[in-house]
Amino acid sequence: MMFSQAVFRYFKEINTYNVPLAIIIGIAAGPLYALLIFSSFGVFIGMLAFDYFQKHQYFMYENLGFSKSFLLSRVFLLNILISVICGIILLLF
């Protein structure tokens, strides 16, 4: 079970905090830095914000059989994949 609706929901919730941070960095430092933040540091910032504001939702994920580390690893891998694709597109044009 690589990906499910629950993992996609967690992905959206983490990136709710990650994307604005990446956009701010992108405006200040450029799009390549925004992609770097989006795929690395921003994931951990998103996780910390999710832990602070929505920690009770982890019970739902645990009841579905997903651990916190599993969810975080999937979000991290998806963000890296998205960043690589966007980076290639950015460098080609």
Side-chain angles (χ1 to χ4, degrees), residues 51-63:
D51 279 350
Y52 184 76
F53 293 114
Q54 299 168 310
K55 188 173 189 121
H56 63 281
Q57 287 187 9
Y58 276 121
F59 292 120
M60 176 192 70
Y61 295 112
E62 289 174 3
N63 287 337

Side-chain angles (χ1 to χ4, degrees), residues 66-83:
F66 299 114
S67 68
K68 187 188 241 185
S69 60
F70 174 82
L71 292 168
L72 188 60
S73 67
R74 293 301 181 251
V75 170
F76 189 69
L77 290 173
L78 285 169
N79 282 6
I80 287 175
L81 180 65
I82 291 168
S83 293

